[in-house]
C-alpha cells in the first residue's frame, strides 16, 4: 500500500527536519520507499487527468506531501504516528 503523509506533520512528529534526499535515504534504510513528493493540488489535478499537473507544482502554496510505499505486513505504518514512531527508532 501507499501512504500519503504531510511533510510538515511528519517532520514535526520525527522531531527533526530532513531534506527530501535525507528522508529518502532514511526510508531506504528502514525498508520502505519514498514513492513521490508532491502537493495535494497536484495530486487532485492528476486524478482529474490534467496534463499540466507537474508544470504548476512550484506555484502551489500548499503543503508538501510524501507518498510512501510500505510492505503489506506493516499495518503499523499506515498512519503518521506509526510511521514517525518506527522511523525514530
Amino acid at each position: 500500500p501507499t501512504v500519503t503523509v504531510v511533510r510538515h506533520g511528519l517532520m514535526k512528529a520525527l522531531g527533526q527536519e530532513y531534506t527530501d534526499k535525507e528522508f529518502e535515504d532514511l526510508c531506504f534504510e528502514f525498508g520502505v520507499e519514498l514513492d513521490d513528493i508532491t502537493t495535494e493540488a497536484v495530486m487532485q489535478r492528476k486524478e482529474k487527468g490534467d496534463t499540466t499537473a507537474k508544470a504548476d507544482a512550484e506555484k502551489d502554496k500548499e503543503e508538501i506531501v510524501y507518498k510512501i510505499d510500505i510492505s503489506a505486513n506493516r499495518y503499523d505504518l499506515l498512519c503518521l504516528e506509526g510511521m514517525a514512531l518506527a522511523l525514530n527508532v
Side-chain angles (χ1 to χ4, degrees):
T2 301
V3 177
T4 303
V5 294
V6 177
R7 181 187 191 283
H8 176 73
L10 181 60
M11 296 302 160
K12 185 176 179 180
L14 288 172
Q16 181 178 349
E17 288 290 323
Y18 291 93
T19 65
D20 292 338
K21 177 65 177 149
E22 290 171 340
F23 185 72
E24 184 176 14
D25 292 341
L26 177 66
C27 287
F28 179 77
E29 290 173 14
F30 188 72
V32 296
E33 180 183 352
L34 180 58
D35 185 46
D36 194 16
I37 303 169
T38 187
T39 66
E40 288 181 12
V42 172
M43 288 181 357
Q44 289 174 357
R45 286 196 303 266
K46 284 181 182 178
E47 288 175 2
K48 292 179 182 178
D50 188 350
T51 57
T52 62
K54 289 185 181 179
D56 295 331
E58 300 268 334
K59 296 179 184 175
D60 292 324
K61 299 295 182 191
E62 292 194 16
E63 293 190 41
I64 297 170
V65 294
Y66 287 157
K67 295 176 87 175
I68 304 170
D69 284 334
I70 61 168
S71 302
N73 64 340
R74 293 301 308 264
Y75 59 89
D76 58 320
L77 302 178
L78 292 175
C79 64
L80 173 73
E81 294 81 6
M83 183 71 67
L85 181 65
L87 292 175
N88 266 332
V89 172

